[in-house]
Amino acid sequence: MRSLLNIGALLSFKHKGSITLLGAICIGALVGYVSHSMRLRYNLGAGDFNWALKTAHALIYSYDPYAFTPSSLLVAYPLPVALFGLPLLWLPNTLAATIFFGCSSGLLAYGIMKNEQPWRLLIFLTFPYWFALCYAQWSPLIAAAWFIPVLAPLLVLIKPHIALPVAINRITPTGVVLAGLALLTSFAIMPDWLWRWLATTREFESKYILLTLPFGPFLLLAVLRWRNEEARLLLSMAVLPFRGLYDLVALYLIPRSARQMVVLVSLSWLPMFLHGTIPETQLITLCSFLPALGILFIPSINRDALSKSYGKSTERLQT
């Protein structure tokens, strides 16, 4: 009988894994469809993924990917970004960006569902996520690395200022080795790419939440919860620069309950409706970072302990 129960549990586990994978594929496909429709309707092109395609194209045809005049809207990516562009280079740019963003979203959905916290799927309803969808940004893939840590070090090579907050909490030997191989390969292809890329970043328009007065410095209170990985995520995102709301998808990994997630998702849309009333960084601080900070100081409920306590109370009532 015990062996039959073990077989049943194994089959149930396999079935559950199949459902998780199927659900992630469906979400990725749906996001891809919406993304492609929006790209065609509003002529959005390949968005930010265009840099991956351009860099890969430059390497194949042996020309300098950094031979341009940088500006606030034209800042190149590190050379390893070509790894993501190469497999999709044969497709039209718009379709390539659609596939990239759909796969990124599918990986994020898979990580969430595998973690058995389906309420976290509300991350797909945040304003930063939809902003990222419009511009085929990397932030959903970086958020997916929270659940699939092997991706984290590699993404630091692509978007260091956005991926580092996730990576410091998700370092794995395999991920470090893969990132190391990618880095060595990039230097073998173009030994001076790092200095060439850094030269283009001088025009980068960045925002620093921690320096946003008067509320930004309050985020230093996250140090009091430093042992909590969500606190490290929040503080590092406040310290490091970012460019726009589309970079902040990982911030919505901080909630620890469905109720907290609903609150944070709802507040994420306020900067869009209040745009122009006060400076953008103040809006982001008030509507996103400070509520996330508050979540860190809400006592977490140990559900196992709560269920045991409930069981003991029931036994006492029965006796």
Side-chain angles (χ1 to χ4, degrees), residues 23-100:
I25 291 173
C26 290
I27 290 174
L30 178 60
V31 167
Y33 173 77
V34 174
S35 173
H36 195 61
S37 299
M38 290 182 65
R39 313 205 81 71
L40 293 177
R41 183 172 183 178
Y42 298 105
N43 195 27
L44 297 174
D48 213 48
F49 190 67
N50 195 45
W51 282 110
L53 299 172
K54 278 188 173 182
T55 307
H57 190 273
L59 294 183
I60 288 178
Y61 291 98
S62 301
Y63 65 86
D64 186 357
Y66 301 110
F68 65 92
T69 302
S71 68
S72 60
L73 297 176
L74 201 62
V75 178
Y77 271 61
L79 196 69
V81 76
L83 290 173
F84 291 85
L86 282 171
L88 301 173
L89 196 56
W90 57 280
L91 295 171
N93 286 2
T94 299
L95 182 57
T98 295
I99 292 174
F100 164 74

Side-chain angles (χ1 to χ4, degrees), residues 72-281:
S72 60
L73 297 176
L74 201 62
V75 178
Y77 271 61
L79 196 69
V81 76
L83 290 173
F84 291 85
L86 282 171
L88 301 173
L89 196 56
W90 57 280
L91 295 171
N93 286 2
T94 299
L95 182 57
T98 295
I99 292 174
F100 164 74
F101 197 84
C103 289
S104 299
S105 301
L107 286 172
L108 177 56
Y110 178 79
I112 289 172
M113 291 189 288
K114 190 176 180 181
N115 203 44
E116 298 184 355
Q117 293 178 318
W119 50 268
R120 289 192 181 276
L121 291 173
L122 290 173
I123 197 171
F124 292 106
L125 299 182
T126 61
F127 178 60
Y129 173 81
W130 283 90
F131 202 174
L133 183 147
C134 291
Y135 293 97
Q137 290 287 337
W138 296 74
S139 49
L141 184 59
I142 290 169
W146 188 263
F147 305 101
I148 310 172
V150 71
L151 294 173
L154 181 60
L155 290 171
V156 171
L157 300 181
I158 310 300
K159 296 271 280 191
H161 58 297
I162 303 301
L164 195 58
V166 171
I168 60 174
N169 294 288
R170 291 294 185 270
I171 292 293
T172 64
T174 303
V176 171
V177 169
L178 289 175
L181 290 174
L183 188 61
L184 290 173
T185 302
S186 68
F187 282 126
I189 295 172
M190 189 176 182
D192 65 340
W193 75 260
L194 180 59
W195 321 116
R196 303 292 306 281
W197 166 69
L198 286 173
T200 71
T201 63
R202 294 171 186 167
E203 302 295 330
F204 182 72
E205 289 186 354
S206 56
K207 301 177 179 68
Y208 293 86
I209 290 296
L210 193 66
L211 302 180
T212 301
L213 298 176
F215 306 109
F218 283 106
L219 294 168
L220 289 173
L221 291 171
V223 172
L224 300 175
R225 293 289 187 271
W226 187 251
R227 293 183 179 180
N228 187 318
E229 61 184 7
E230 286 84 5
R232 296 193 296 270
L233 175 66
L234 174 65
L235 187 57
S236 53
M237 288 184 72
V239 169
L240 292 169
F242 72 100
R243 187 160 192 170
L245 269 166
Y246 46 69
D247 288 328
L248 302 181
V249 174
L251 189 68
Y252 300 89
L253 300 170
I254 290 174
R256 292 171 289 182
S257 70
R259 182 175 297 179
Q260 293 173 3
M261 190 69 174
V262 168
V263 171
L264 215 58
V265 169
S266 301
L267 292 174
S268 76
W269 289 88
L270 287 182
M272 185 186 75
F273 294 111
L274 299 177
H275 180 71
T277 56
I278 61 175
E280 184 184 18
T281 50

